[in-house]
Amino acid sequence: MDDERPAAPKRWDPDRNETETERLDRNWASLLQELRVAQTGVTLLTGFLLTLPFTDGFEEIDNVMRVV
């Protein structure tokens, strides 16, 4: 009987000792983490921008500043 074993997974980068699938998983996790950070920043910025029309001095500024 022949012993047919699957071939060992091909290493993408020998220095890191990871397969291509492991590299893709690592990159995907990194992208998700960056998205989480960006989402938090956008949420905070939106919250600050939504409070501007309710401040006392908002009625006194001109149209140019309102657009900015």
Side-chain angles (χ1 to χ4, degrees):
M1 252 188 173
D2 288 337
D3 188 18
E4 294 183 17
R5 295 181 185 165
K10 207 174 180 187
R11 297 290 172 193
W12 176 259
D13 185 1
D15 295 334
R16 281 191 172 266
N17 198 24
E18 65 182 0
T19 63
E20 183 176 2
T21 304
E22 292 168 339
R23 179 184 63 89
L24 291 173
D25 286 344
R26 181 175 48 84
N27 287 343
W28 179 249
S30 177
L31 284 173
L32 284 178
Q33 184 61 32
E34 290 178 20
L35 180 63
R36 288 183 190 110
V37 171
Q39 181 182 8
T40 303
V42 168
T43 302
L44 287 172
L45 181 61
T46 302
F48 287 132
L49 290 176
L50 285 175
T51 60
L52 285 178
F54 300 106
T55 59
D56 293 334
F58 188 73
E59 295 175 356
E60 301 170 5
I61 61 174
D62 59 353
N63 282 340
V64 175
M65 288 307 293
R66 286 183 191 197
V67 170
V68 170

